Amino acid sequence: MIMGCRHFVFLGLLFAAILTPLVVAKSCYYCDLTNTPNCIGIPMYCGKEEDCYQGRGVASGISYIINKGCVEATNCGKEQLVDYMGITYNFITYCCSGELCNAGSPGPSHIGLGPNIVVVSMALALLFYWLF
């Protein structure tokens, strides 16, 4: 009887850990367009249909520009032309889906899975511990 309750509580916590990110607003870093590589950003909340992103724009013979924030998932990976200080840049948004996942430098190599994978992995490890 006690073992059954233990499993019920564990499964409830597991589902809560998985479903909570789907209900709660996501946090992402925001910083305005800049031509400096140090765009640390400030935390902001995104809408439920938005992902965090890091944007990077390049122009021939000129250093790149970056920014961070929230964007509708349908705009992830799209190229657009952006004017900054009188120069037109080819700008791409690199999206990620974890909490504050847009902390590092923009680019496709930084896109991560976020902390949710850690929570699920820990929950599965506990499940196997209790079952076996």
Side-chain angles (χ1 to χ4, degrees):
M1 176 87 170
I2 293 177
M3 188 61 107
C5 274
R6 191 180 200 184
H7 287 274
F8 179 73
V9 169
F10 174 75
L11 288 175
L13 290 172
L14 176 64
F15 285 122
I18 292 171
L19 296 177
T20 298
L22 300 176
V23 177
V24 178
K26 182 185 310 175
S27 296
C28 300
Y29 286 109
Y30 169 81
C31 68
D32 216 358
L33 232 95
T34 182
N35 57 358
T36 64
N38 299 330
C39 174
I40 296 169
I42 56 171
M44 68 178 290
Y45 291 108
C46 299
K48 66 180 183 177
E49 300 294 322
E50 294 180 316
D51 285 332
C52 300
Y53 82 93
Q54 301 174 73
R56 182 175 179 147
V58 293
S60 183
I62 300 173
S63 66
Y64 61 89
I65 57 171
I66 59 175
N67 77 340
K68 299 176 184 180
C70 304
V71 68
E72 289 184 20
T74 56
N75 291 321
C76 294
K78 290 189 177 178
E79 288 187 40
Q80 57 183 326
L81 297 178
V82 173
D83 288 327
Y84 179 73
M85 299 181 80
I87 300 168
T88 302
Y89 290 83
N90 187 19
F91 196 82
I92 301 176
T93 55
Y94 299 100
C95 294
C96 56
S97 57
E99 286 291 310
L100 301 172
C101 61
N102 61 342
S105 299
S109 62
H110 181 70
I111 297 171
L113 297 175
N116 290 337
I117 193 76
V118 174
V119 171
V120 172
S121 297
M122 288 174 39
L124 288 174
L126 285 172
L127 175 65
F128 284 122
Y129 172 74
W130 281 343
L131 291 176
F132 300 107

